[in-house]
Amino acid sequence: MSPTPRLDRSLAILGLLANAVALPALVAWIFSDGPLAAATFVVGLAAVLPAVVLGLVAALALLAGRGWGRVVAIVALSLGLAVSLSYGIVWLVLVPVGRAVTGPLLGLLWLALMLALIYWCLPRQPRSYRI
């Protein structure tokens, strides 16, 4: 599978919508008073917020047709995957409530991030070689 402009645009729109929804959800999550409240606050501000902002910048750059948008998307997805893997595993180990739901949802999130990361890392074919 090679990247196509139509799929690039669709994924950029999906990324823009996902990150636009994630920003207010992040604020609610950071200030929630649940288990691991201090860790949630620190991880949310130090890692999740930069990943969401990078995702917004990447999606806007991709929609504007900027070539550097792919690089920013790779960085945002990598940061999101690194943070969600480490924090998700710690959450599953330390918080017993809701493991039956949290585990599969985290698995789906990790799969989606990994597939998106693989897609954006695929080399683009020059226009003269496209069939």
Side-chain angles (χ1 to χ4, degrees):
M1 177 167 113
S2 63
T4 62
R6 186 172 161 177
L7 186 56
D8 286 358
R9 184 164 175 78
S10 299
L11 288 176
I13 291 170
L14 181 66
L16 183 64
L17 293 174
N19 286 301
V21 168
L23 202 54
L26 174 64
V27 173
W29 178 64
I30 286 175
F31 295 111
S32 67
D33 189 32
L36 304 176
T40 299
F41 183 77
V42 171
V43 169
L45 286 180
V48 179
L49 181 62
V52 170
V53 170
L54 279 172
L56 283 170
V57 170
L60 291 172
L62 288 165
L63 288 173
R66 305 287 184 203
W68 51 267
R70 294 175 64 83
V71 175
V72 178
I74 291 168
V75 171
L77 289 166
S78 300
L79 181 58
L81 186 61
V83 170
S84 65
L85 273 170
S86 58
Y87 187 77
I89 290 170
V90 169
W91 184 273
L92 286 173
V93 169
L94 296 179
V95 180
V97 179
R99 282 187 185 150
V101 174
T102 306
L105 288 178
L106 282 171
L108 289 174
L109 174 67
W110 297 335
L111 179 65
L113 287 172
M114 185 62 76
L115 291 175
L117 185 59
I118 290 170
Y119 176 80
W120 289 114
C121 288
L122 289 174
R124 295 197 51 93
Q125 292 179 349
R127 291 187 186 266
S128 61
Y129 294 126
R130 290 192 185 159
I131 297 175

